[in-house]
Amino acid sequence: YNTWVSRISVDDTDQKILSILKKDGRASYREIARSVGLSETAVRKRISNMIRKGIIRRFSVEYVLSDEARALVLVKTTPPTKTPEVAERIKSIEGVEAVYEVTGEHDIAVLVRGVGIGFINRCIDAIRSIEGVVSTYTMIILRAHI
């Protein structure tokens, strides 16, 4: 699977379609077609093509629950375990919503979400138990501005 999908170029119309879907993943083909000046069939083909190429990886729902806690966990790794291997292991932990390889002082950024701080702590403990993880730095998310 190509993790450097950003190297695949898209035209202005595809960029507009992606922008619409990012704001409203439930936008209909008809609404998108009207916004970009194409037929519904053309929009459907373009979206299917972007899914096939891996540009659109998934459609998701953004939500917030009153008793939910979220945290961003920064992870440092060490050889001989490779960072992508650690990231794959982290991805399988319950409560892990997203895993990113990043530059800087840390190697991996993890978005964790679950009911209560106790759940978040268990996720962090699970991440720390993975071979190759040297340390973590956790930030509890107070508010999102999406």
Side-chain angles (χ1 to χ4, degrees):
Y1 189 78
N2 184 358
T3 58
W4 296 103
V5 174
S6 60
R7 293 183 182 177
I8 298 172
S9 61
V10 294
D11 64 15
D12 288 342
T13 303
D14 284 345
Q15 287 283 4
K16 288 176 187 173
I17 291 169
L18 290 170
S19 178
I20 292 166
L21 288 172
K22 185 175 179 184
K23 289 178 188 165
D24 181 6
R26 295 183 64 188
S28 70
Y29 291 117
R30 178 177 289 154
E31 292 168 334
I32 297 168
R34 217 176 301 127
S35 295
V36 299
L38 292 176
S39 70
E40 196 174 326
T41 303
V43 167
R44 191 179 304 270
K45 285 181 183 178
R46 282 177 174 264
I47 291 173
S48 293
N49 192 33
M50 287 190 279
I51 292 169
R52 186 179 48 74
K53 288 180 177 178
I55 295 167
I56 297 175
R57 295 181 183 176
R58 65 184 171 139
F59 294 88
S60 63
V61 175
E62 188 69 34
Y63 64 92
V64 177
L65 302 174
S66 61
D67 57 350
E68 179 179 69
R70 291 179 293 165
L72 185 60
V73 182
L74 302 178
V75 180
K76 281 187 185 180
T77 62
T78 186
T81 309
K82 294 182 176 13
T83 300
E85 293 172 14
V86 174
E88 281 300 312
R89 290 185 190 131
I90 291 172
K91 199 168 84 171
S92 68
I93 296 171
E94 182 186 358
V96 169
E97 188 164 292
V99 179
Y100 304 96
E101 287 185 47
V102 297
T103 61
E105 190 175 328
H106 294 86
D107 303 300
I108 299 170
V110 183
L111 181 59
V112 178
R113 146 184 248 156
V115 177
I117 295 299
F119 182 85
I120 300 297
N121 282 334
R122 287 189 296 280
C123 289
I124 294 165
D125 288 343
I127 291 168
R128 287 179 179 154
S129 73
I130 294 173
E131 184 180 339
V133 171
V134 177
S135 66
T136 61
Y137 180 86
T138 302
M139 296 171 282
I140 299 299
I141 297 171
L142 301 175
R143 188 178 304 130
H145 299 273
I146 298 175

mmCIF file with all atom_site columns, all heavy atoms in Angstrom, residues 14 17 29 38-52:
data_model
loop_
_atom_site.group_PDB
_atom_site.id
_atom_site.type_symbol
_atom_site.label_atom_id
_atom_site.label_alt_id
_atom_site.label_comp_id
_atom_site.label_asym_id
_atom_site.label_entity_id
_atom_site.label_seq_id
_atom_site.pdbx_PDB_ins_code
_atom_site.Cartn_x
_atom_site.Cartn_y
_atom_site.Cartn_z
_atom_site.occupancy
_atom_site.B_iso_or_equiv
_atom_site.pdbx_formal_charge
_atom_site.auth_seq_id
_atom_site.auth_comp_id
_atom_site.auth_asym_id
_atom_site.auth_atom_id
_atom_site.pdbx_PDB_model_num
ATOM 1   N N   . ASP A 1 14 ? -10.990 17.560 -8.897  1.00 0.00 ? 14 ASP A N   1
ATOM 2   C CA  . ASP A 1 14 ? -10.853 16.551 -7.837  1.00 0.00 ? 14 ASP A CA  1
ATOM 3   C C   . ASP A 1 14 ? -10.576 17.221 -6.494  1.00 0.00 ? 14 ASP A C   1
ATOM 4   O O   . ASP A 1 14 ? -11.103 16.794 -5.458  1.00 0.00 ? 14 ASP A O   1
ATOM 5   C CB  . ASP A 1 14 ? -9.744  15.554 -8.165  1.00 0.00 ? 14 ASP A CB  1
ATOM 6   C CG  . ASP A 1 14 ? -10.139 14.529 -9.220  1.00 0.00 ? 14 ASP A CG  1
ATOM 7   O OD1 . ASP A 1 14 ? -11.354 14.409 -9.500  1.00 0.00 ? 14 ASP A OD1 1
ATOM 8   O OD2 . ASP A 1 14 ? -9.247  13.858 -9.754  1.00 0.00 ? 14 ASP A OD2 1
ATOM 9   N N   . ILE A 1 17 ? -13.833 18.426 -5.202  1.00 0.00 ? 17 ILE A N   1
ATOM 10  C CA  . ILE A 1 17 ? -14.636 17.294 -4.717  1.00 0.00 ? 17 ILE A CA  1
ATOM 11  C C   . ILE A 1 17 ? -14.142 16.863 -3.335  1.00 0.00 ? 17 ILE A C   1
ATOM 12  O O   . ILE A 1 17 ? -14.934 16.643 -2.415  1.00 0.00 ? 17 ILE A O   1
ATOM 13  C CB  . ILE A 1 17 ? -14.598 16.116 -5.720  1.00 0.00 ? 17 ILE A CB  1
ATOM 14  C CG1 . ILE A 1 17 ? -15.352 16.495 -7.004  1.00 0.00 ? 17 ILE A CG1 1
ATOM 15  C CG2 . ILE A 1 17 ? -15.174 14.839 -5.097  1.00 0.00 ? 17 ILE A CG2 1
ATOM 16  C CD1 . ILE A 1 17 ? -15.164 15.520 -8.149  1.00 0.00 ? 17 ILE A CD1 1
ATOM 17  N N   . TYR A 1 29 ? -23.911 12.776 -4.563  1.00 0.00 ? 29 TYR A N   1
ATOM 18  C CA  . TYR A 1 29 ? -23.269 12.970 -5.859  1.00 0.00 ? 29 TYR A CA  1
ATOM 19  C C   . TYR A 1 29 ? -23.917 14.151 -6.586  1.00 0.00 ? 29 TYR A C   1
ATOM 20  O O   . TYR A 1 29 ? -23.236 14.934 -7.234  1.00 0.00 ? 29 TYR A O   1
ATOM 21  C CB  . TYR A 1 29 ? -23.371 11.706 -6.714  1.00 0.00 ? 29 TYR A CB  1
ATOM 22  C CG  . TYR A 1 29 ? -22.535 10.562 -6.193  1.00 0.00 ? 29 TYR A CG  1
ATOM 23  C CD1 . TYR A 1 29 ? -23.126 9.376  -5.774  1.00 0.00 ? 29 TYR A CD1 1
ATOM 24  C CD2 . TYR A 1 29 ? -21.154 10.650 -6.125  1.00 0.00 ? 29 TYR A CD2 1
ATOM 25  C CE1 . TYR A 1 29 ? -22.364 8.327  -5.300  1.00 0.00 ? 29 TYR A CE1 1
ATOM 26  C CE2 . TYR A 1 29 ? -20.379 9.603  -5.656  1.00 0.00 ? 29 TYR A CE2 1
ATOM 27  C CZ  . TYR A 1 29 ? -20.987 8.441  -5.243  1.00 0.00 ? 29 TYR A CZ  1
ATOM 28  O OH  . TYR A 1 29 ? -20.229 7.402  -4.776  1.00 0.00 ? 29 TYR A OH  1
ATOM 29  N N   . LEU A 1 38 ? -20.222 19.419 -12.968 1.00 0.00 ? 38 LEU A N   1
ATOM 30  C CA  . LEU A 1 38 ? -20.130 18.165 -13.723 1.00 0.00 ? 38 LEU A CA  1
ATOM 31  C C   . LEU A 1 38 ? -21.441 17.405 -13.592 1.00 0.00 ? 38 LEU A C   1
ATOM 32  O O   . LEU A 1 38 ? -22.282 17.738 -12.756 1.00 0.00 ? 38 LEU A O   1
ATOM 33  C CB  . LEU A 1 38 ? -18.997 17.291 -13.181 1.00 0.00 ? 38 LEU A CB  1
ATOM 34  C CG  . LEU A 1 38 ? -17.567 17.762 -13.371 1.00 0.00 ? 38 LEU A CG  1
ATOM 35  C CD1 . LEU A 1 38 ? -16.617 16.802 -12.675 1.00 0.00 ? 38 LEU A CD1 1
ATOM 36  C CD2 . LEU A 1 38 ? -17.212 17.877 -14.845 1.00 0.00 ? 38 LEU A CD2 1
ATOM 37  N N   . SER A 1 39 ? -21.555 16.340 -14.380 1.00 0.00 ? 39 SER A N   1
ATOM 38  C CA  . SER A 1 39 ? -22.713 15.469 -14.241 1.00 0.00 ? 39 SER A CA  1
ATOM 39  C C   . SER A 1 39 ? -22.526 14.587 -13.012 1.00 0.00 ? 39 SER A C   1
ATOM 40  O O   . SER A 1 39 ? -21.405 14.386 -12.524 1.00 0.00 ? 39 SER A O   1
ATOM 41  C CB  . SER A 1 39 ? -22.872 14.583 -15.480 1.00 0.00 ? 39 SER A CB  1
ATOM 42  O OG  . SER A 1 39 ? -21.834 13.624 -15.531 1.00 0.00 ? 39 SER A OG  1
ATOM 43  N N   . GLU A 1 40 ? -23.620 14.058 -12.513 1.00 0.00 ? 40 GLU A N   1
ATOM 44  C CA  . GLU A 1 40 ? -23.573 13.150 -11.366 1.00 0.00 ? 40 GLU A CA  1
ATOM 45  C C   . GLU A 1 40 ? -22.721 11.928 -11.693 1.00 0.00 ? 40 GLU A C   1
ATOM 46  O O   . GLU A 1 40 ? -21.937 11.461 -10.867 1.00 0.00 ? 40 GLU A O   1
ATOM 47  C CB  . GLU A 1 40 ? -25.011 12.740 -11.026 1.00 0.00 ? 40 GLU A CB  1
ATOM 48  C CG  . GLU A 1 40 ? -25.171 12.121 -9.682  1.00 0.00 ? 40 GLU A CG  1
ATOM 49  C CD  . GLU A 1 40 ? -26.636 11.862 -9.336  1.00 0.00 ? 40 GLU A CD  1
ATOM 50  O OE1 . GLU A 1 40 ? -27.505 12.652 -9.747  1.00 0.00 ? 40 GLU A OE1 1
ATOM 51  O OE2 . GLU A 1 40 ? -26.871 10.867 -8.645  1.00 0.00 ? 40 GLU A OE2 1
ATOM 52  N N   . THR A 1 41 ? -22.843 11.408 -12.913 1.00 0.00 ? 41 THR A N   1
ATOM 53  C CA  . THR A 1 41 ? -22.066 10.237 -13.345 1.00 0.00 ? 41 THR A CA  1
ATOM 54  C C   . THR A 1 41 ? -20.571 10.539 -13.342 1.00 0.00 ? 41 THR A C   1
ATOM 55  O O   . THR A 1 41 ? -19.773 9.715  -12.894 1.00 0.00 ? 41 THR A O   1
ATOM 56  C CB  . THR A 1 41 ? -22.506 9.788  -14.756 1.00 0.00 ? 41 THR A CB  1
ATOM 57  O OG1 . THR A 1 41 ? -23.903 9.507  -14.725 1.00 0.00 ? 41 THR A OG1 1
ATOM 58  C CG2 . THR A 1 41 ? -21.747 8.566  -15.221 1.00 0.00 ? 41 THR A CG2 1
ATOM 59  N N   . ALA A 1 42 ? -20.196 11.727 -13.808 1.00 0.00 ? 42 ALA A N   1
ATOM 60  C CA  . ALA A 1 42 ? -18.779 12.109 -13.835 1.00 0.00 ? 42 ALA A CA  1
ATOM 61  C C   . ALA A 1 42 ? -18.214 12.205 -12.420 1.00 0.00 ? 42 ALA A C   1
ATOM 62  O O   . ALA A 1 42 ? -17.088 11.757 -12.157 1.00 0.00 ? 42 ALA A O   1
ATOM 63  C CB  . ALA A 1 42 ? -18.607 13.429 -14.573 1.00 0.00 ? 42 ALA A CB  1
ATOM 64  N N   . VAL A 1 43 ? -18.992 12.756 -11.499 1.00 0.00 ? 43 VAL A N   1
ATOM 65  C CA  . VAL A 1 43 ? -18.553 12.862 -10.097 1.00 0.00 ? 43 VAL A CA  1
ATOM 66  C C   . VAL A 1 43 ? -18.402 11.470 -9.501  1.00 0.00 ? 43 VAL A C   1
ATOM 67  O O   . VAL A 1 43 ? -17.412 11.172 -8.816  1.00 0.00 ? 43 VAL A O   1
ATOM 68  C CB  . VAL A 1 43 ? -19.531 13.724 -9.276  1.00 0.00 ? 43 VAL A CB  1
ATOM 69  C CG1 . VAL A 1 43 ? -19.271 13.584 -7.781  1.00 0.00 ? 43 VAL A CG1 1
ATOM 70  C CG2 . VAL A 1 43 ? -19.446 15.175 -9.704  1.00 0.00 ? 43 VAL A CG2 1
ATOM 71  N N   . ARG A 1 44 ? -19.362 10.603 -9.755  1.00 0.00 ? 44 ARG A N   1
ATOM 72  C CA  . ARG A 1 44 ? -19.303 9.230  -9.247  1.00 0.00 ? 44 ARG A CA  1
ATOM 73  C C   . ARG A 1 44 ? -18.029 8.532  -9.735  1.00 0.00 ? 44 ARG A C   1
ATOM 74  O O   . ARG A 1 44 ? -17.331 7.865  -8.967  1.00 0.00 ? 44 ARG A O   1
ATOM 75  C CB  . ARG A 1 44 ? -20.555 8.470  -9.708  1.00 0.00 ? 44 ARG A CB  1
ATOM 76  C CG  . ARG A 1 44 ? -20.762 7.129  -9.060  1.00 0.00 ? 44 ARG A CG  1
ATOM 77  C CD  . ARG A 1 44 ? -22.040 6.462  -9.573  1.00 0.00 ? 44 ARG A CD  1
ATOM 78  N NE  . ARG A 1 44 ? -23.233 7.278  -9.406  1.00 0.00 ? 44 ARG A NE  1
ATOM 79  C CZ  . ARG A 1 44 ? -24.022 7.256  -8.335  1.00 0.00 ? 44 ARG A CZ  1
ATOM 80  N NH1 . ARG A 1 44 ? -23.727 6.457  -7.333  1.00 0.00 ? 44 ARG A NH1 1
ATOM 81  N NH2 . ARG A 1 44 ? -25.082 8.018  -8.263  1.00 0.00 ? 44 ARG A NH2 1
ATOM 82  N N   . LYS A 1 45 ? -17.691 8.705  -11.015 1.00 0.00 ? 45 LYS A N   1
ATOM 83  C CA  . LYS A 1 45 ? -16.481 8.086  -11.584 1.00 0.00 ? 45 LYS A CA  1
ATOM 84  C C   . LYS A 1 45 ? -15.221 8.665  -10.955 1.00 0.00 ? 45 LYS A C   1
ATOM 85  O O   . LYS A 1 45 ? -14.287 7.936  -10.652 1.00 0.00 ? 45 LYS A O   1
ATOM 86  C CB  . LYS A 1 45 ? -16.448 8.290  -13.104 1.00 0.00 ? 45 LYS A CB  1
ATOM 87  C CG  . LYS A 1 45 ? -17.400 7.398  -13.851 1.00 0.00 ? 45 LYS A CG  1
ATOM 88  C CD  . LYS A 1 45 ? -17.311 7.635  -15.352 1.00 0.00 ? 45 LYS A CD  1
ATOM 89  C CE  . LYS A 1 45 ? -18.318 6.778  -16.097 1.00 0.00 ? 45 LYS A CE  1
ATOM 90  N NZ  . LYS A 1 45 ? -18.291 7.025  -17.542 1.00 0.00 ? 45 LYS A NZ  1
ATOM 91  N N   . ARG A 1 46 ? -15.210 9.978  -10.768 1.00 0.00 ? 46 ARG A N   1
ATOM 92  C CA  . ARG A 1 46 ? -14.036 10.613 -10.169 1.00 0.00 ? 46 ARG A CA  1
ATOM 93  C C   . ARG A 1 46 ? -13.812 10.129 -8.741  1.00 0.00 ? 46 ARG A C   1
ATOM 94  O O   . ARG A 1 46 ? -12.678 9.834  -8.338  1.00 0.00 ? 46 ARG A O   1
ATOM 95  C CB  . ARG A 1 46 ? -14.174 12.138 -10.193 1.00 0.00 ? 46 ARG A CB  1
ATOM 96  C CG  . ARG A 1 46 ? -13.890 12.742 -11.554 1.00 0.00 ? 46 ARG A CG  1
ATOM 97  C CD  . ARG A 1 46 ? -14.122 14.247 -11.534 1.00 0.00 ? 46 ARG A CD  1
ATOM 98  N NE  . ARG A 1 46 ? -13.733 14.865 -12.766 1.00 0.00 ? 46 ARG A NE  1
ATOM 99  C CZ  . ARG A 1 46 ? -12.541 15.450 -12.974 1.00 0.00 ? 46 ARG A CZ  1
ATOM 100 N NH1 . ARG A 1 46 ? -11.660 15.498 -12.008 1.00 0.00 ? 46 ARG A NH1 1
ATOM 101 N NH2 . ARG A 1 46 ? -12.266 15.988 -14.139 1.00 0.00 ? 46 ARG A NH2 1
ATOM 102 N N   . ILE A 1 47 ? -14.880 10.036 -7.961  1.00 0.00 ? 47 ILE A N   1
ATOM 103 C CA  . ILE A 1 47 ? -14.751 9.560  -6.585  1.00 0.00 ? 47 ILE A CA  1
ATOM 104 C C   . ILE A 1 47 ? -14.301 8.101  -6.569  1.00 0.00 ? 47 ILE A C   1
ATOM 105 O O   . ILE A 1 47 ? -13.399 7.731  -5.818  1.00 0.00 ? 47 ILE A O   1
ATOM 106 C CB  . ILE A 1 47 ? -16.065 9.770  -5.800  1.00 0.00 ? 47 ILE A CB  1
ATOM 107 C CG1 . ILE A 1 47 ? -16.290 11.273 -5.578  1.00 0.00 ? 47 ILE A CG1 1
ATOM 108 C CG2 . ILE A 1 47 ? -16.037 9.023  -4.464  1.00 0.00 ? 47 ILE A CG2 1
ATOM 109 C CD1 . ILE A 1 47 ? -17.629 11.630 -4.975  1.00 0.00 ? 47 ILE A CD1 1
ATOM 110 N N   . SER A 1 48 ? -14.888 7.277  -7.418  1.00 0.00 ? 48 SER A N   1
ATOM 111 C CA  . SER A 1 48 ? -14.482 5.866  -7.510  1.00 0.00 ? 48 SER A CA  1
ATOM 112 C C   . SER A 1 48 ? -13.013 5.749  -7.883  1.00 0.00 ? 48 SER A C   1
ATOM 113 O O   . SER A 1 48 ? -12.278 4.920  -7.335  1.00 0.00 ? 48 SER A O   1
ATOM 114 C CB  . SER A 1 48 ? -15.326 5.124  -8.542  1.00 0.00 ? 48 SER A CB  1
ATOM 115 O OG  . SER A 1 48 ? -16.651 5.038  -8.107  1.00 0.00 ? 48 SER A OG  1
ATOM 116 N N   . ASN A 1 49 ? -12.558 6.581  -8.802  1.00 0.00 ? 49 ASN A N   1
ATOM 117 C CA  . ASN A 1 49 ? -11.167 6.571  -9.235  1.00 0.00 ? 49 ASN A CA  1
ATOM 118 C C   . ASN A 1 49 ? -10.237 6.983  -8.085  1.00 0.00 ? 49 ASN A C   1
ATOM 119 O O   . ASN A 1 49 ? -9.182  6.365  -7.891  1.00 0.00 ? 49 ASN A O   1
ATOM 120 C CB  . ASN A 1 49 ? -10.997 7.507  -10.439 1.00 0.00 ? 49 ASN A CB  1
ATOM 121 C CG  . ASN A 1 49 ? -9.672  7.338  -11.126 1.00 0.00 ? 49 ASN A CG  1
ATOM 122 O OD1 . ASN A 1 49 ? -9.113  6.249  -11.174 1.00 0.00 ? 49 ASN A OD1 1
ATOM 123 N ND2 . ASN A 1 49 ? -9.150  8.426  -11.670 1.00 0.00 ? 49 ASN A ND2 1
ATOM 124 N N   . MET A 1 50 ? -10.640 7.992  -7.307  1.00 0.00 ? 50 MET A N   1
ATOM 125 C CA  . MET A 1 50 ? -9.806  8.419  -6.176  1.00 0.00 ? 50 MET A CA  1
ATOM 126 C C   . MET A 1 50 ? -9.762  7.351  -5.084  1.00 0.00 ? 50 MET A C   1
ATOM 127 O O   . MET A 1 50 ? -8.731  7.182  -4.423  1.00 0.00 ? 50 MET A O   1
ATOM 128 C CB  . MET A 1 50 ? -10.302 9.764  -5.624  1.00 0.00 ? 50 MET A CB  1
ATOM 129 C CG  . MET A 1 50 ? -9.966  10.937 -6.538  1.00 0.00 ? 50 MET A CG  1
ATOM 130 S SD  . MET A 1 50 ? -10.290 12.551 -5.793  1.00 0.00 ? 50 MET A SD  1
ATOM 131 C CE  . MET A 1 50 ? -12.055 12.702 -6.052  1.00 0.00 ? 50 MET A CE  1
ATOM 132 N N   . ILE A 1 51 ? -10.843 6.611  -4.922  1.00 0.00 ? 51 ILE A N   1
ATOM 133 C CA  . ILE A 1 51 ? -10.841 5.491  -3.964  1.00 0.00 ? 51 ILE A CA  1
ATOM 134 C C   . ILE A 1 51 ? -9.900  4.403  -4.460  1.00 0.00 ? 51 ILE A C   1
ATOM 135 O O   . ILE A 1 51 ? -9.074  3.885  -3.703  1.00 0.00 ? 51 ILE A O   1
ATOM 136 C CB  . ILE A 1 51 ? -12.279 4.937  -3.762  1.00 0.00 ? 51 ILE A CB  1
ATOM 137 C CG1 . ILE A 1 51 ? -13.133 5.971  -3.033  1.00 0.00 ? 51 ILE A CG1 1
ATOM 138 C CG2 . ILE A 1 51 ? -12.238 3.614  -2.999  1.00 0.00 ? 51 ILE A CG2 1
ATOM 139 C CD1 . ILE A 1 51 ? -14.616 5.639  -3.019  1.00 0.00 ? 51 ILE A CD1 1
ATOM 140 N N   . ARG A 1 52 ? -9.998  4.077  -5.739  1.00 0.00 ? 52 ARG A N   1
ATOM 141 C CA  . ARG A 1 52 ? -9.155  3.027  -6.329  1.00 0.00 ? 52 ARG A CA  1
ATOM 142 C C   . ARG A 1 52 ? -7.675  3.370  -6.229  1.00 0.00 ? 52 ARG A C   1
ATOM 143 O O   . ARG A 1 52 ? -6.833  2.513  -5.926  1.00 0.00 ? 52 ARG A O   1
ATOM 144 C CB  . ARG A 1 52 ? -9.554  2.801  -7.790  1.00 0.00 ? 52 ARG A CB  1
ATOM 145 C CG  . ARG A 1 52 ? -8.842  1.628  -8.452  1.00 0.00 ? 52 ARG A CG  1
ATOM 146 C CD  . ARG A 1 52 ? -9.278  1.421  -9.899  1.00 0.00 ? 52 ARG A CD  1
ATOM 147 N NE  . ARG A 1 52 ? -9.285  2.623  -10.713 1.00 0.00 ? 52 ARG A NE  1
ATOM 148 C CZ  . ARG A 1 52 ? -8.196  3.241  -11.196 1.00 0.00 ? 52 ARG A CZ  1
ATOM 149 N NH1 . ARG A 1 52 ? -6.997  2.764  -10.910 1.00 0.00 ? 52 ARG A NH1 1
ATOM 150 N NH2 . ARG A 1 52 ? -8.299  4.311  -11.947 1.00 0.00 ? 52 ARG A NH2 1
#
